[in-house]
């Protein structure tokens, strides 16, 4: 019912052209010309003067100080949060213990 139909190879019809005759060709060797040297870059080079170096050092120091201050403030926020949670836990424990003793 659902059998695939396998195509058969049809026989050539019409005129069949004979294979083309390939003539041997002579090999001519030529010496390739060397590639031209790449042109010099037109981008300006960076000149590092003492003033520029001092500005870079100052900017780097400022970045390090700002990042350090942010990290220290985040650590301080975590420490304050942890301490307040610990105080709340102690107060709740004390309240629950005193309530249990009264009964």
């Amino acid at each position: 019912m659902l059998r695939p139909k396998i195509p058969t190879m049809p026989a050539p019809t019409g005129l069949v052209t004979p294979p083309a005759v390939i003539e041997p060709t002579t090999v001519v060797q030529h010496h390739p010309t060397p590639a031209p040297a790449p042109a010099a870059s037109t981008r300006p080079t960076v000149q590092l003067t003492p003033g520029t170096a001092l500005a870079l050092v100052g900017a780097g120091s400022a970045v390090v100080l700002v990042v350090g201050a942010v990290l220290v403030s985040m650590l301080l926020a975590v420490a304050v949060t942890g301490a307040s949670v610990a105080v709340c836990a102690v107060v709740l424990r004390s309240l629950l213990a005193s309530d249990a003793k009264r009964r």
Side-chain angles (χ1 to χ4, degrees):
M1 183 173 136
L2 295 176
R3 292 187 183 178
K5 293 183 179 181
I6 300 173
T8 58
M9 190 66 153
T13 58
L15 296 175
V16 178
T17 57
V21 178
I22 300 174
E23 298 286 331
T25 57
T26 58
V27 177
V28 178
Q29 291 183 352
H30 62 80
H31 300 288
T33 58
S41 177
T42 58
R43 294 182 357 187
T45 58
V46 176
Q47 298 291 330
L48 207 63
T49 61
T52 307
L54 189 62
L56 285 175
V57 169
S61 300
V63 167
V64 167
L65 288 175
V66 168
V67 170
V70 168
L71 291 177
V72 167
S73 65
M74 289 171 64
L75 180 64
L76 185 61
V78 169
V80 168
T81 304
S84 64
V85 168
V87 168
C88 288
V90 168
V91 169
L92 283 174
R93 182 177 168 195
S94 172
L95 288 173
L96 291 174
S98 66
D99 188 40
K101 287 183 182 178
R102 290 184 188 173
R103 293 182 184 203

